[in-house]
Amino acid sequence: MAVNADHPLRPADWVTGFAVLILCQLAGEAMVQLLRIVSPGFVFPGPVAGMLLLVLILNRFAERARSTIAVANGLLGILALLFVPSAVGIMQHWAVIQAWGLPLLLAVIGSTVLTLLVTVYAFIVTDRWVERRRR
């Protein structure tokens, strides 16, 4: 569906359109989580439920959905850009990853563990400091 170019969207329209997309996804996630409470074995992706909800809304209020459609078209236009950098990086440096994969993996694991330890230590020190200030 094309967006009418005669009446450009205001910044508030873009925010409204983006909010509709986010709220539909949130509603889909909420519906799926509620269904999981009723039926713990229920498996369905929340964003897909939100997308189905968005389709229903767009069918019902198509004449008012201009900003949502414009935002969706804009996001679809740049969607491929979000996946390209990591895939290109992996493909371009595949030989390096093969040669240095184990050391890289150990470095990532070691730095993650070190980060967690420093975070826990900082939390403990801050908690003790806050507790001393309360007394």
Side-chain angles (χ1 to χ4, degrees):
M1 183 178 290
V3 176
N4 187 354
D6 294 337
H7 303 288
L9 294 175
R10 298 171 299 151
D13 295 331
W14 290 98
V15 172
T16 303
F18 194 72
V20 168
L21 293 176
I22 296 298
L23 288 175
C24 283
Q25 181 177 357
L26 179 66
E29 288 283 352
M31 286 188 304
V32 168
Q33 293 301 321
L34 288 174
L35 287 172
R36 284 187 185 150
I37 291 173
V38 175
S39 175
F42 180 75
V43 177
F44 194 80
V48 174
M51 185 178 64
L52 294 174
L53 179 65
L54 179 64
V55 168
L56 292 174
I57 290 172
L58 289 178
N59 277 334
R60 178 72 173 99
F61 303 104
E63 67 279 353
R64 295 185 200 164
R66 184 172 159 239
S67 61
T68 304
I69 293 169
V71 170
N73 284 336
L75 289 174
L76 285 175
I78 63 168
L79 188 63
L81 291 176
L82 300 176
F83 297 104
V84 168
S86 60
V88 169
I90 289 172
M91 291 173 62
Q92 283 184 339
H93 300 289
W94 183 246
V96 175
I97 291 172
Q98 281 183 322
W100 295 93
L102 184 61
L104 284 173
L105 182 65
L106 292 175
V108 168
I109 291 172
S111 63
T112 301
V113 169
L114 185 62
T115 301
L116 289 173
L117 290 174
V118 169
T119 303
V120 168
Y121 179 74
F123 175 78
I124 290 171
V125 168
T126 304
D127 188 49
R128 288 180 184 165
W129 180 74
V130 168
E131 198 61 38
R132 267 189 252 134
R133 288 187 55 101
R134 285 186 185 163
R135 292 181 196 162

